[in-house]
Structures are given as C-alpha cells and as structure tokens.
Amino acid sequence: MILERDAELRLLDEATRLAVRRTGGLLVINGPLGSGKSALLQAYRVRLPETVLVGSAAASPFDDYPFALARQLLDHVLPDPVPDLWDALDTAAPSTCAPSRCRLSDHRPEVREAVGQLVARVRTIAARTPLVLVIDDLQWVDHPSLSLLNELAGDAGHHLLVVATVSEGEITADRHFVREFISRAVRRLRPLPLSAQAVCGLLEQRLGVHCHPGFAKVCHEETRGIPLLVTASALELSVQGVAPLARNAPLLRKLGLSHARARFLDYLRVQPDSVLEYARALAVLGPGSAPEAVGELANLNESQSAAARQALHLAGLLAPGPGKGFVHRSARDAVEKSMTGRSHHALIERSAVSLYRNGGSCERVADLLLKVPTRQGEWAREALYLAAEAAVERGERQAGARYLRRALLEVSDEGAARAHLLLDLAVTEQDGEPRAALNDLAHALSLFPSVQEKAEALVRALPVLSNGMPDQLCTEIRDVRTRLGEPERLSGTQRDLALRIEARVHFLDCADPARLAAVQERLDALTPGSRSPTSAERELLAVLLYSGMLTGGLPAVESVRLAEHILSCEPVGPGHARTSVPVLIMTLAAADATDAACSWLDAAYDHGDSTDRGLIRAEQALVFLRSGRLGDAKDAIDEALAVHAPEGAVAMSVTALITAAVAMELRDRALAERFLVDADKDPYANDVCLPAVRDLLRGAMAAADRNPRRALEFFLDCGARLERQGWTNPSLLPWRTSAAVMHHRLGATDRALQLAEEELARAEAWGAPVGIGRALRVLGLLTGGRQGIALTRQAVDALETTNHRLELIRSLLQLGTQEAAAGGEEARHHLRRCRRIALECGAPHLADRALSRLGERDEFDLAATRSVLTPGERRIAQLVATGLSNRDVAELCEISLRAVEKHLTHAYRKLGVRGRSELTRLLSEMTCAEPALHPKGIYPGRMHGGTGPQS
C-alpha cells in the first residue's frame, strides 16, 4: 500500500479516463532522487483496468544500443513480432544514436520509414483499445526511442496516454531534447515528502511491527520524510534488529543507511566532473560553507559552480535552504566514497589551507586537520591551538583535547614547544580522561629543563587533592619539592609555588602513617594566627587539617576554628574541584561543625559553573546528612549523580565517598549498589580511600541481610586498610562499632566490648560529639542492664549538642527500648521524642520502629506527625488526600506541577508512607485532616461550584 499519494493517483486515474475518451497525451511525474516517483508509477500501473492495454519500460544509462527503450515498451504491445522493422533500425545504428537526431525528420530515410511503420501499428492498436505507455526514469532514454515517443506523444486525439517519471538533477534531464519532450506534458505531478504519520505507517509496513509515534517523529526529522531515506532506515533497522520503540529513537541519528548511500553513489557516478567536484568540495567543507568557497575548492568558475549546485539541489542531495549541506549523512558518505583516500586527503589539505588563509574559523580548520595524517607546519599548530582554546572556553574539553593531540604531530622536536603542548593537553584531559592526563603530565615534566617550570606545570595540571598517581610521577613531585627548598627561605611567587607543591605532597602522604605523624608539627609552624592566609597557604593548611583529622591528632575544636577561618577567606567561583575546599568540608563534617560549610556551599553553588555543581551538590549532601536533613541529603546526592554528573578524578572520587556515606546512613540499597558499581570503574583504580569505604558499605549491606559473619569480615577488612594507612579517627568511618555489634551478635561479647572501648577512646581524643555518642550507644547495647542504660543516657547527653540528629535518634530509640524493658517511666517520653525527631529528619524507618515500641498511636504521636511537615507540604498533602489529582492541586494553589510533586515526595518521605492511600489513611487520624482554605476562598472538592463549607 502506497501512503499519502491519493491525490496523485486520482489525477492519474482521471488521465486514464480521458485517454479512454480519445483524449490522450503525455503526463510527467517529476521530482528529486528517492521522492517516491517509481513507487507511484507502480501503484498506478496496478490500478489500470483490464480494458486498457499497457506497455511498460524503464530506461537505463547503461543501455547503449538504439531503440533500447522502445523495444521494451512495444514488445508487449504489438500483437505480432516485428523483427524486420527492428533489423532495419539496427542497420542504421551509427547515425541513429546521434544526440541531434531526436525528431523523425532528422533521421535517414530508411529509419524514418521503419519508425513510421511502428508508429502506424501503435496508432492502429490505440484506435481500437485504450493504450497506456508507462516509462520509468525517462531521463535515461536513448535518442532513437525519444524520436519514436515524440511521434506517439503528439497523438492527443487517440486512446494513447504516455506516463513517465523524470528525476530532476540528472544531467540528461537538462538536455534540450528531453526538456522539449517533457514540455509537451498535459500535466505534471510532483510527489511531496511524507508526513510523520506516513513515515510511521511506512516503518510499520516494512518492519511488520507497531511503531511508536516518538520513534516515527525522530525518523521523520532525520529523513525529512523522503521515501528513499525512510525505506533505507527500515532496512537498516531490520538488519540490526532494532525495534521502533521510543527508547531506540536516538539510534536513528547514528544509523548508516547503506541502501541510500548506494543510490546516491549511483547518481554521482554518471554526473559530469563539475557536479562531482562540487559535491566533493562541499563534503570536505561541510554545511554552512559559502558557495563561493565550495566552488573555489572545486576549481570551478562562478557559472560552473552555480550549475553544479543547482543539479545537486534538483537531484535532492542538498538540504533545502542556503548553506544547509547534504540532505542526509548518507549522501555525504556517498560523496566521500566516490573519492580515493589520497584524493580525499589532498582535498582536505587544500581546504584547510584555503580556510586558514581566508580567515576562516580556527575550529573549522582544526576539524579538517584532524582528518589529515601528515604534518602541515607551524600554521597548522597555531590553528589547532587556537581551536583548542575556543573549545575549552565553551566547556567542550574533549574537543579541545582532540585538537591538542593533533597539534603534537606538528611539533618535531622534544623541546619546550612539545612540553607546553603536553601540559596544555594534560590540563584539558583532567576532567574526562584523568589517567591520560597523568601520563601526558609525566611526559611534559621530563621535557621541562628547570625546576621552576616543572613546579609551575605541576601546580597548573594537578589539583591539590590528587592521589593514586603512578610512582614515577609521585617521585617527580617529591623531587621538585626538595629542589625548590623550604618555603620559609623563599619569598613572593617562589614561596607560593613551594607551598602549593608541599600541599600536593602532603595529600599524597595521607596514606603513609610515618609521614602523617609529622603533620602536627608542620601545622603549628604554618598557622597564620589572626591574619588572613594567602591562597597558597590556604591550600596547604586545608590539606594539613585534613591529614590531622584522619589521624585524630589535632583536636576537633582546634580543627574547626582553623578550618572555618580558612573557609571564610576562600572566595567562591569556578574551579571548585581544583581547590582544597572539599577536604575542608570533610574536616568540618567530621567535627560536627557544618553551619559555616552550609552557607559557603550555598554561595558556591550560585556562583559556580556547571562543571562544579555536581561536586558542590555532593558536598551539600554530606553537610545535610551531618545536620539531620536526611531528605535534603538524598535529594542533593541524587541531583549530583543524575543532573550535574561530576567530572574529573577529584570530583568523582569525593562524590563517590559521599554517595557511600549517604547510602549507609539512609540504608538506601539502590544507592549503595550504584556506588559499588561505580567504584569499580577506572578513574578510581588507585584511590586510597575508596577500598575501605567499599568494605564498610558491603559490611552494612551484609548486616542488613542478617549475615553477621560476612558483615564482620568486611568491617575487619575495612579496619585493616585504615590502620595500615594510619587513619585512626572513627568519626567518618566508624568500623570498630560496626564490627563490635557483629561480634556481639555472634556471641563474642568480650571482643565486641574491646573494639567499642577503643573507639570511645579515639573519639574522645578527637572530641567530636557524634563519635563519642556513637561509641557510648554501642557500649550501652553491649553492656546491658542498668549500666547499659546509663551509658546510653550518656550517649544521648553527648549528642544533644550536635547537629547530627540521626545518631541522636538511634540513641533515643535504644534508650527508650532499654527503659521499657526495665519498666522505666521515661521510656514513652524517649520513644515519642525519637519518633518526632525521626519524622522531622526524614527517617521514617526509625520513626516506625519507635512507634512499634510505643504500640497504638496516641495524640502525642499524631501531633508529632503533623509537626514534621512544613506548611506547604501539609497543605499539599491535605489537598491530595481529598482525592484531587496533582494537576488539580497545582491549578488550585497556582503553583507548578513540579512543585506539587516535590512537596508530595517530601511529605511521603517524612511521614513514612508509600502512596496516596496510606497518606489519606494517616491524615484521617489527625485532627488537622479537614481541607485547607485556598487564598481565593475555594475549597477542595468544590472546584466546579460552591465557595465555602456547608454551614
């Protein structure tokens, strides 16, 4: 079934009816290559009534004998064989094939006589029976056959209709004798491109399955509704086994259409050199190129260029509109396939040189040079370098790296020019290809002659928080530090350079217990007092504070004071991942001092660029987690991973660590599994912290699966890693208390108590309340009895002063449970408080555990449940509970649908419900379940009538 050709078929049917009534003539179907002319002609051929005699033929550019088309056309029309006439015509072949002989009067007498007899026979037949001659690709007709058709097409008073297709843009279609013949047409038809709906139908026909409208829409955009391209797409989809589903639509933009490419290539092979050279020049220069530039590259004058462009446009190889390029990549591929590799490279070289000399875009020049494998000279290096700068400034670092790699080909020696190029390449690769960046940096360092240049290169190419580097590069960094000398003996920029290199060395030393021991002494010597530290000093101080936090060697109070001072001096702006701020945030989080970090990160997010925001959102998730804002922490880490996907080894590593922390604290299995999958990826291969975090998270998952023995193995592996590195502070990675609980479950209470007491001692040395409270809570669990209750009460007291509400919730839950078991009067008070804080923080699983110990809900529990929602969340929840849809609520409250969904998600999480039915049931138990009044006085449930409640 042919689609969207009903109007054309009706016109063809009408022409047939006129021929039956002795009003014949010529009807031409014209259009570009692949527009569906042949399919329309075939559909018409099938529709012809049995009372009509039909002759059909297809012309070919490869039929090089006289009357080739006429023989095909008339052999099935003439009732008797006419070998004598064809023989007579064959004897006159040499003169008959001359292009000038397209009228009967132009031929020799014997040819005219034979043609006249053929025409007479056809007219005799047409006088008795309506005759339709159907001809495909008339532009390829041989000249003798055209002279015969000229005679027949003039018989308007006979039952003879000639219907022919002509492809525009074919060079033969522009010859005067073909144009003259076509000009005699009584009507012309031009099939239009298919609509998106017709494209959908054609795909379903070809593939035999339902096509999703979204898939068809993309296919229509890619093919412009051209039947040839749609059919070729269907063929390629069938070969590759791709179903026409919405999720597969992006594949259409990458699909190679071999069938369409072959058709375009067939067209190009029979074109004159001018058309072919113009097409090749356009394929090299690409869309947007000025016609004058294309013609110049093709070595064509203005008139030749215009004629070639017109031919390609009429043939359908060029997209409509000026400077649009080829209609589809398969057309460009066909043009490129028409060239040899050598000629293609030569043309690209010429175009690059021409563009550069004429002031063309450096990035367009660079894109051409990427395809040239030979050295071009200094001009090419300059163009590639400028293109890389422009790409990086636009945020397209991968493109910039490609240009710089190609620029290396233009540098012949191993001197300073190559060293600077390698350094630029390393800086550009940092975010997307960190391992390649380290390799290029190492190569660059080997080429710089002076220690000053090496130090500047390291500071420029290595973020402060770089670790897990190859041994060769680590050795180079330490050597540079030694050769620079002590910062105290230097001044100005040299001192700053030495401080920055020292910061990087200290971060490398974070996994070396022997070197970590010297941190305290260095920190004392560098502490700036009341003055504002310089940028270089801030880098080093932040790393030293982080190192001191890992060992717990510097008390939390002093760490917070200095970290907040450094953070207050740190400006917000782009390049966040290259600074030392991420370790300052971790230090403050470990010390339970997140207020300063929270406000600084808010400002940084507003002023940072898109590449920074993923890391900043992850850091905000850590701060929210340590501040008891669990819902906000989950939203922030989800956004960091999904919306602003962090780039670069530092950002990815920090984000991974925080993802694990959020997953553990929230018991989020999906988030934990995502971390474990991502943590095995290449950028993390040499990270010194992630293996321990991975073990701790796997232990938590095993514990949740009630497999204490397996969990204990993971916790002990985590501890062994941390002890080897000298990371003894339990605040961020509390493996001892986790292992102690597993020992307790397995019956090894003595070993459990030993680990918990060790953790308490180290937590007290560090001084942060959360570590102390956690250790006391676990000791209270292990000890039991009155002494256990006393220890748990100490844990609650210690945690009252911290923002880490989650640990307070756990201690209150344990205290209430212990008091209830001992018959204590304060049990319900602790459990109610636990439930209220859990709901406020967004920890419904802990709130439910508290409720299960309380028994039935009471008025205090309902009040607690109400209090956890913000006014906006409570209002949206109440409206939804009345049965309104999210869209109705959005219209009623005059807010966006997205805002309604966000409020509702937060309400579900805080109340611990999984959907509308549970929400409605819970709200019905509350005294506040009556509908809320809209500012305009409209009540839910009365949107279509009524203005207030019934009295």
Side-chain angles (χ1 to χ4, degrees), residues 798-818:
L799 293 165
E800 294 287 7
T801 60
T802 181
N803 289 328
H804 198 307
R805 312 306 284 166
L806 189 56
E807 193 55 53
L808 176 61
I809 294 166
R810 291 176 182 142
S811 296
L812 285 169
L813 179 62
Q814 180 173 302
L815 181 59
T817 303
Q818 289 175 323

Side-chain angles (χ1 to χ4, degrees), residues 119-132:
V119 171
R121 287 196 181 197
V122 174
R123 284 174 176 171
T124 300
I125 294 169
R128 296 193 305 266
T129 306
L131 176 60
V132 177

Side-chain angles (χ1 to χ4, degrees), residues 304-364:
Q304 290 172 324
S305 176
R309 186 169 63 253
Q310 177 70 2
L312 291 167
H313 174 72
L314 290 174
L317 268 73
L318 300 186
K324 293 294 185 180
F326 291 102
V327 70
H328 190 265
R329 57 186 167 276
S330 58
R332 184 200 62 225
D333 293 345
V335 174
E336 292 179 348
K337 195 172 178 63
S338 72
M339 295 182 273
T340 64
R342 181 175 297 179
S343 64
H344 193 192
H345 287 152
L347 191 60
I348 293 173
E349 287 180 21
R350 283 173 43 210
S351 62
V353 172
S354 176
L355 268 177
Y356 181 78
R357 289 177 178 172
N358 292 325
S361 162
C362 282
E363 287 186 77
R364 291 192 65 192

Side-chain angles (χ1 to χ4, degrees), residues 503 506-507 509-513 515-524 527 539-560 562-563 566 583-584 586-588 590-591 725-732 762-768:
H506 275 292
F507 195 77
D509 291 343
C510 282
D512 186 336
R515 291 190 169 103
L516 278 174
V519 164
Q520 181 67 56
E521 182 180 347
R522 182 66 179 124
L523 194 57
D524 292 340
T527 300
E539 277 190 9
L540 180 53
L541 284 168
V543 172
L544 292 172
L545 280 175
Y546 177 70
S547 300
M549 180 273 291
L550 293 175
T551 62
L554 181 68
V557 174
E558 295 181 33
S559 296
V560 169
L562 185 52
I566 296 170
V583 291
L584 275 180
M586 288 191 180
T587 301
L588 289 169
Q725 293 170 188
W727 295 9
T728 57
N729 190 339
S731 185
L732 282 179
R762 298 191 181 199
E764 288 175 339
W766 168 240

Side-chain angles (χ1 to χ4, degrees), residues 224-275:
R224 303 173 188 268
I226 299 170
L228 168 64
L229 297 178
V230 179
T231 303
S233 298
L235 180 62
E236 201 69 31
L237 291 168
S238 178
V239 169
Q240 295 188 19
V242 177
L245 306 174
R247 67 172 180 268
N248 291 334
L251 298 176
L252 288 165
R253 307 191 192 281
K254 304 175 183 177
L255 214 56
L257 307 184
S258 55
H259 174 67
R261 183 175 65 242
R263 286 285 303 276
F264 289 132
L265 193 56
D266 287 342
Y267 161 80
L268 293 166
R269 283 172 177 154
V270 296
Q271 298 309 304
D273 290 344
S274 60
V275 175

Side-chain angles (χ1 to χ4, degrees), residues 825-875:
E825 296 180 357
E826 295 185 354
R828 296 188 67 80
H829 166 72
H830 295 314
L831 290 172
R832 285 172 181 162
R833 187 172 176 225
C834 167
R835 176 166 170 75
R836 177 178 60 78
I837 299 174
L839 290 171
E840 288 174 353
C841 292
H845 64 289
L846 293 174
D848 289 344
R849 287 175 63 184
L851 181 61
S852 68
R853 287 159 175 75
L854 280 167
E856 294 296 323
R857 295 182 188 271
D858 55 23
E859 57 181 302
F860 298 100
D861 180 63
L862 293 175
T865 303
R866 283 197 301 271
S867 68
V868 302
L869 300 180
T870 66
E873 291 165 353
R874 186 162 56 250
R875 174 173 179 71

Side-chain angles (χ1 to χ4, degrees), residues 170-300:
E170 302 284 6
I171 194 63
T172 51
D174 287 336
R175 292 178 181 173
H176 70 279
F177 50 83
V178 178
R179 287 201 305 269
E180 182 180 335
F181 179 73
I182 293 173
S183 68
R184 302 173 63 181
V186 295
R187 185 178 290 267
R188 293 193 186 194
L189 300 180
R190 183 181 178 86
L192 296 174
L194 300 175
S195 66
Q197 185 177 0
V199 167
C200 187
L202 183 54
L203 289 173
E204 290 179 344
Q205 281 184 17
R206 295 284 178 168
L207 299 174
V209 294
H210 172 70
C211 177
H212 189 279
F215 186 92
K217 180 176 181 293
V218 175
C219 186
H220 181 262
E221 293 170 356
E222 285 294 299
T223 63
R224 303 173 188 268
I226 299 170
L228 168 64
L229 297 178
V230 179
T231 303
S233 298
L235 180 62
E236 201 69 31
L237 291 168
S238 178
V239 169
Q240 295 188 19
V242 177
L245 306 174
R247 67 172 180 268
N248 291 334
L251 298 176
L252 288 165
R253 307 191 192 281
K254 304 175 183 177
L255 214 56
L257 307 184
S258 55
H259 174 67
R261 183 175 65 242
R263 286 285 303 276
F264 289 132
L265 193 56
D266 287 342
Y267 161 80
L268 293 166
R269 283 172 177 154
V270 296
Q271 298 309 304
D273 290 344
S274 60
V275 175
L276 199 53
E277 291 305 318
Y278 189 92
R280 289 170 174 172
L282 181 59
V284 168
L285 291 176
S289 304
E292 298 78 13
V294 180
E296 180 184 347
L297 182 60
N299 289 324
L300 301 176

